[in-house]
Amino acid sequence: MTRNIGRRQDGPRADAHRQDGPRQDAQRDWDVIVVGAGFAGSLVAHRLGGHGHRVLVLEAGHDVPPAATTATAYLAAGGGTPTSPYPRSADASSPDVDDLTGLPDGGFTATGYLLQHGPLPYASGYLRANGGTGLLWTGLTPRMHPEDFRTADLGHGRNWPIGYQDLEPYYRQAEHELGVAADADQQRRAVGLPIPADYAFPMRAIPATHLDRTLARALDGRTARDPAADEDTRLVVSTTPHARNGRPTGPEHPAGPLCQGAASCVPACPSGAKYTPLRTQARWAPGVRLRTDAVASRVLVDGTGRATGVEYHADGATHRVHADLVVLAAHAIENARLLLLSGLANRSDQVGRNLMDHPALLTWGLLPEPTGPYRGPGSTSGLEGFRFGRARARRAPFRVEIGNWGWSWAGRPPQVETGALLRTGVRGKDLRERLGDRLGRQFSLQFELEQPADPANRVTLDHSRPDRLGLPRPALHYDLSGYVRQGMASARAVSEQLFALLGAEDHTRYEAGPGWPGRLEHDGRPYGYRGAGHGGGTHIMGDSPDTSVVDQWQRCWDHPNLYAVGCGSMPSLGTSNPSLTMAALALRSADRAHHDLTVLRGPAALTAPRPSAPSPAPAPSSVPASSSVPAPFTVPASSPTPSREPS
């Protein structure tokens, strides 16, 4: 399916090459091809299209119905996995959490699209559809801490080739693109972020829930002892930044539909308050076109190593489309798979390696009094004090999310509790009262742990079990290091102290069996983790082509007009949800790509960017003076001059 997001009808058509064999064409059909219409791809296309570049976006999955329709269908079906209400593509499978099953004696089995070889499961899914996993994310947008960019200096993982200050202007741009709601003063105090003094987030912070306020009254100003730390950590409950409409902080930010507390943000926000990539797509320039149901299978290169286009499968045929610049913006696993299928960018032998996630340790219990869970976003506040500091030299740091949705993620949603009581013979008024008491006092804590880059955790191709198109499927090797496991031990110890301060009954159990495929033992004690859906690291960024796949601009070292953008480029994930950082990196790379295209084609034919939300960050076409700028790519003398005219 081809959609024209803009208004212009005279540009090149994405579906113009439907024929028996792949088309070969020396002319360029587009200025830029973007593979993937999720977070990063939609933002890159928006920025480059705003500069007048003709952009084709290839999306492997289907288009999707409006969020309200999806949310209604999800609730009518009685729930399901995060990807369950979205249309499935036979040619572009979406891994889901129910592909994994724990075994009674430990270990796990894996079915579905991803081939998992352990020792532990990569426990996250992702959605292959227009909008990607950005359709079903939680909406949390904390920035990374400055320490997170130099984890190797702290004894684990890799350093970034850039620092927090290089990305800070793009954090502000991304926050305006996504419409982030947060309190800048609180982020400075609670997290220690060096946010400029005159900066205000586009939206006021999402109000704290009754549960947040209850925990704040019990915990604020108290301390907890991390076994790996030299001193106690002071506890402060602070609100979490959200890409969700709050009250605008100024007239330049239009008010949108507010959160209605439906508690169905995953998989879809019924009110439209939560940002998704479809919001950015609605503002694409006329020169940006979207081709859905188009599964990219190979990046095309010429004899000099320059990318010339993309081969993709659609409508039962193979097509080739050409451009001056190619941007891979699929999920970290899919970007790595496409590079491996193409045999590209792997001089360092790091393509597919360093697969990361945020293993999430959950604890859950009952508070002394009802607090009204199952309202609002999944989490609106948390504890930030364990994200940084000297203890991270000994154990993985972690961020503590306060869960608003009771025991759902722990595997005990309301319907499970209801079934358990019904099996005991409870009925009528007694059932209502007991359910009201138990569900009303539920709460959970979610400890998202940093997982450092480890080349042993990797994505490879399995040629023996291809997908429906005959392409090799991704095969994963995944494990958690002793450093991460020690972080789990610290998190569990902190949780026990928090429960004691709250006077809460601890019901946490990691029982071997179907519900806990991510179960392990450390120092004789069982732990269980869920995947946070934060895959990264598979085309890692660095300062040398010998040790990394992409440079600081997410540009492949070996192919200077081929970009691989997204969380796969991140050398570390820190402890913050990575979507905001991914968005900031995408905008930074789009500026670099525009610079490259301007040098290649000359500025005369380019138009000014379309107006967008005001931002105090530098102008989109600028490159920060503090960053070293690699030489732009050039067209070899033997190559024909690309045409800007529609084919």
Side-chain angles (χ1 to χ4, degrees), residues 186-187 190-191 220 236-240 380-384 399 402:
Q186 193 173 71
Q187 291 298 300
V191 189
D220 280 359
V236 179
V237 174
S238 59
T239 56
T240 305
T380 41
S381 297
L383 298 161
E384 310 289 344
R399 181 176 180 272
I402 298 170

Side-chain angles (χ1 to χ4, degrees), residues 336-620:
R337 181 192 186 211
L338 186 53
L339 287 172
L340 291 170
L341 285 170
S342 307
L344 300 178
N346 206 16
R347 184 194 336 178
S348 62
D349 188 34
Q350 295 301 301
V351 172
R353 294 187 182 273
N354 305 294
L355 176 65
M356 295 179 278
D357 194 6
H358 281 135
L361 182 84
L362 308 181
T363 61
W364 58 97
L366 296 175
L367 290 163
E369 302 293 336
T371 56
Y374 299 100
R375 299 173 184 171
S379 177
T380 41
S381 297
L383 298 161
E384 310 289 344
F386 303 95
R387 292 177 57 184
F388 38 81
R390 289 180 293 181
R392 72 186 298 173
R394 306 184 185 99
R395 53 91 179 124
F398 49 88
R399 181 176 180 272
V400 188
E401 286 186 11
I402 298 170
N404 288 327
W405 294 345
W407 295 359
S408 293
W409 206 16
R412 299 282 295 185
Q415 55 266 41
V416 172
E417 291 296 309
T418 303
L421 284 173
L422 287 172
R423 285 191 293 274
T424 66
V426 178
R427 296 292 187 275
K429 181 180 178 181
D430 190 22
L431 174 64
R432 292 193 298 273
E433 289 178 349
R434 292 178 64 176
L435 271 178
D437 173 69
R438 191 170 181 86
L439 296 179
R441 294 190 292 126
Q442 286 184 357
F443 83 110
S444 67
L445 300 177
Q446 300 151 17
F447 298 81
E448 290 196 3
L449 293 112
E450 178 181 51
Q451 180 180 23
D454 179 350
N457 289 332
R458 65 183 304 193
V459 180
T460 57
L461 300 179
D462 190 317
H463 295 266
S464 66
R465 286 178 281 182
D467 65 12
R468 187 172 179 272
L469 294 173
L471 302 173
R473 286 157 61 194
L476 309 186
H477 178 280
Y478 187 81
D479 200 1
L480 300 180
S481 67
Y483 177 71
V484 177
R485 296 172 189 232
Q486 189 56 47
M488 288 184 174
S490 285
R492 189 74 173 97
V494 168
S495 175
E496 290 169 348
Q497 296 171 66
L498 298 178
F499 275 54
L501 291 171
L502 294 167
E505 300 174 22
D506 194 341
H507 287 254
T508 306
R509 302 288 185 275
Y510 309 113
E511 298 176 351
W516 287 101
R519 187 179 183 274
L520 56 91
E521 290 194 2
H522 178 67
D523 288 343
R525 188 173 188 183
Y527 297 90
Y529 68 92
R530 304 289 196 210
H534 300 165
T538 56
H539 43 85
I540 205 156
M541 178 193 298
D543 55 13
S544 168
D546 296 326
T547 58
S548 58
V549 179
V550 299
D551 64 15
Q552 61 163 307
W553 307 102
Q554 301 187 90
R555 200 170 62 176
C556 294
W557 289 106
D558 300 339
H559 314 283
N561 64 332
L562 174 62
Y563 285 71
V565 305
C567 295
S569 298
M570 295 170 63
S572 67
L573 296 180
T575 54
S576 57
N577 307 58
S579 296
L580 179 72
T581 300
M582 174 172 56
L585 287 169
L587 294 173
R588 187 173 185 269
S589 292
D591 282 358
R592 179 69 244 183
H594 169 59
H595 174 271
D596 287 351
L597 288 166
T598 301
V599 171
L600 174 67
R601 313 296 285 279
L606 300 178
T607 61
R610 300 181 73 201
S612 59
S615 172

Side-chain angles (χ1 to χ4, degrees), residues 222-226 229 231-235 384-386 395:
R222 310 292 287 272
T223 61
R225 167 55 61 95
D226 174 356
E231 56 189 20
D232 291 355
T233 299
R234 185 172 180 271
L235 303 175
E384 310 289 344
F386 303 95
R395 53 91 179 124

Side-chain angles (χ1 to χ4, degrees), residues 131-404:
T133 311
L135 295 174
L136 46 78
W137 69 312
T138 59
L140 276 62
T141 53
R143 296 186 181 191
M144 290 179 67
H145 190 274
E147 278 187 6
D148 297 335
F149 293 84
R150 52 182 188 88
T151 56
D153 292 346
L154 303 171
H156 299 273
R158 289 181 176 235
N159 286 343
W160 289 56
I162 59 175
Y164 176 90
Q165 289 301 333
D166 295 299
L167 204 55
E168 201 282 330
Y170 290 96
Y171 269 139
R172 284 180 272 153
Q173 290 188 26
E175 285 156 356
H176 283 260
E177 288 285 349
L178 275 57
V180 170
D183 184 324
D185 286 337
Q186 193 173 71
Q187 291 298 300
R188 295 184 193 101
R189 293 193 307 269
V191 189
L193 296 178
I195 297 174
D198 60 348
Y199 179 66
F201 287 89
M203 304 286 175
R204 300 184 188 280
I206 300 297
T209 63
H210 180 46
L211 173 63
D212 295 337
R213 295 193 295 270
T214 298
L215 267 62
R217 285 194 297 270
L219 300 179
D220 280 359
R222 310 292 287 272
T223 61
R225 167 55 61 95
D226 174 356
D230 299 324
E231 56 189 20
D232 291 355
T233 299
R234 185 172 180 271
L235 303 175
V236 179
V237 174
S238 59
T239 56
T240 305
H242 272 256
R244 193 181 312 275
N245 293 333
R247 301 293 181 184
T249 55
E252 68 274 18
H253 306 298
L258 296 176
C259 174
Q260 298 175 358
S264 63
C265 318
V266 179
C269 171
S271 71
K274 184 183 72 172
Y275 170 88
T276 76
L278 302 186
R279 191 181 294 178
T280 291
Q281 292 181 18
R283 298 187 294 119
W284 275 351
V288 181
R289 303 291 180 87
L290 172 67
R291 175 60 154 102
T292 55
D293 301 303
V295 181
S297 56
R298 187 156 62 101
V299 177
L300 308 173
V301 297
D302 64 17
T304 70
R306 289 186 64 253
T308 60
V310 174
E311 180 179 276
Y312 68 94
H313 297 266
D315 304 318
T318 302
H319 311 280
R320 287 182 177 178
V321 64
H322 297 81
D324 294 315
L325 188 139
V326 176
V327 179
L328 307 185
H331 185 273
I333 289 175
E334 294 301 321
N335 268 0
R337 181 192 186 211
L338 186 53
L339 287 172
L340 291 170
L341 285 170
S342 307
L344 300 178
N346 206 16
R347 184 194 336 178
S348 62
D349 188 34
Q350 295 301 301
V351 172
R353 294 187 182 273
N354 305 294
L355 176 65
M356 295 179 278
D357 194 6
H358 281 135
L361 182 84
L362 308 181
T363 61
W364 58 97
L366 296 175
L367 290 163
E369 302 293 336
T371 56
Y374 299 100
R375 299 173 184 171
S379 177
T380 41
S381 297
L383 298 161
E384 310 289 344
F386 303 95
R387 292 177 57 184
F388 38 81
R390 289 180 293 181
R392 72 186 298 173
R394 306 184 185 99
R395 53 91 179 124
F398 49 88
R399 181 176 180 272
V400 188
E401 286 186 11
I402 298 170
N404 288 327

Side-chain angles (χ1 to χ4, degrees), residues 64-87 264 266-270:
V64 297
T69 303
T70 300
T72 300
Y74 182 73
L75 294 175
T81 63
T83 66
S84 62
Y86 291 98
S264 63
V266 179
C269 171

